[in-house]
Amino acid sequence: MKYVYLDNNATTQLAPEVLEVMLPYLGEEYGNPSGRYALGVQARRAVAHAREQVAGLLGAEPDEIVFTSGGTESDNAAIYSALQNRPQGRLVATRVEHSAVLSNVLEHERRGGAVSWLEVDGAGRMNPDDAAREFSPDTALISIMYANNETGTIFPIRRLAELAAERGIHLLCDAVQAVGKVAIDLKEIPLTYLALSGHKLHGPKGVGALYVRRKTPFAPFLMGGGQENGRRSGTENVPGIVGLGKACELAHLQFHDMDRLARLRDRLERGILELAPDTLINGDVENRLPGTCNVAFRQIKSDELLLLLNRVGIMAGAGSACSSGSHEASHVLRAMGVPDSHIYGAVRFSLSRYNDESDVDCVLRELPPVLKQLRRGAQSGVSF
Ligand code: PLP
């Protein structure tokens, strides 16, 4: 059955070019990069090349890139390191961070650590000068994502990083959703750590990277054989790292496609609003990721809607991937003050370079009967 995949903020299709460069490292090129013999040297060179490709996409230096098992580990490693260097320090974070950050901040708070939360407005935005009032001298780390995974809202990271740097405070930017979709030049943004993940940009799952600015004292989260210059032990995931490198190189060449994605997204959104004018658009429509569309249908349960869409071959997400399957409202939409009448009906359509007009046509064709069916159900007694 042909299907329409519109959950690219959850994960993306592996680019065929990425698969191609990975295959040898899943086959005959199986050397351990620490080996001094030919197979080891080849693997080491491949990892070094990937490090240059990742650094190239970010305007970073290769020695500032630490390969990890993904976005979650990158976030954890940065927070761990910052707190090791300053155990009594305060954590400052937005209320809309991904759970990979949020759980660490909540755990710090539970243990009696100092925490300041940064609020967002109804569109999920933050004023950097207001936020900076919370950057107190006892801060170990400020954590602000580049773009929100649920709504796509982009934060003013450059300004926030400047304000943090002026105060000599480290800033972690979870850029898992932004890398490959918006151009990031770390020569221009004085942040300390940046997290990214392979599977969000058509690379493989289970691999990511943490950018660590030169001269930052770093306490490793994983200790052992001393790989990654002592910053992340464990034999390198060579095929994954090679794939991540290629995905970054491809993303660099594909930025021009982002305008097309934004147009597709806008057409989808306009179409949905025509079908259901009482729908809310969640996020900053002026400044968000090009392919992300988060809409909240009135008096509809998103899991029921997604189930019906799935039956006709359309796959989309409800809130974040990690919280889907639970019936709790998204913490992001709660922080934005989305009303109860709509919050349970939030659906995220997220597009990638592999989507086209026919996918948008399909959603706009299939949605009316699905909404009709759900509204009939609601009239027969479902409460919100
Ligand atoms: N941070 C953000 C903003 C994300 O969207 C995700 C994945 O959904 C992660 C972190 C976790 O990344 P990974 O799946 O590579 O662990």
Side-chain angles (χ1 to χ4, degrees), residues 9-10 69-73 75 98 100 145 147 149 174 176-177 197 199-200 207 321-322:
N9 286 14
S69 66
T72 302
E73 186 189 320
D75 285 333
H98 186 270
M145 62 204 324
N149 46 304
D174 176 340
V176 165
Q177 293 293 341
S197 173
H199 73 108
K200 307 287 185 178
V207 65
C322 307

Side-chain angles (χ1 to χ4, degrees), residues 10 71 96 252 265 291 293 303 347 372 376:
V96 298
H252 217 159
R265 185 267 320 273
C293 160
D303 50 351
V347 173
K372 206 164 157 190
R376 258 200 319 260

Side-chain angles (χ1 to χ4, degrees), residues 3 9 22 68 98 100 114 119 134 149 153 161 175 179 203 213 219 242 276 291 295 299 314 317 350:
Y3 61 84
N9 286 14
M22 288 175 70
T68 66
H98 186 270
E119 307 293 340
E134 302 294 335
N149 46 304
T153 297
V179 170
R213 186 169 289 278
V242 166
V295 287
Q299 307 234 306
I314 297 170
S350 47

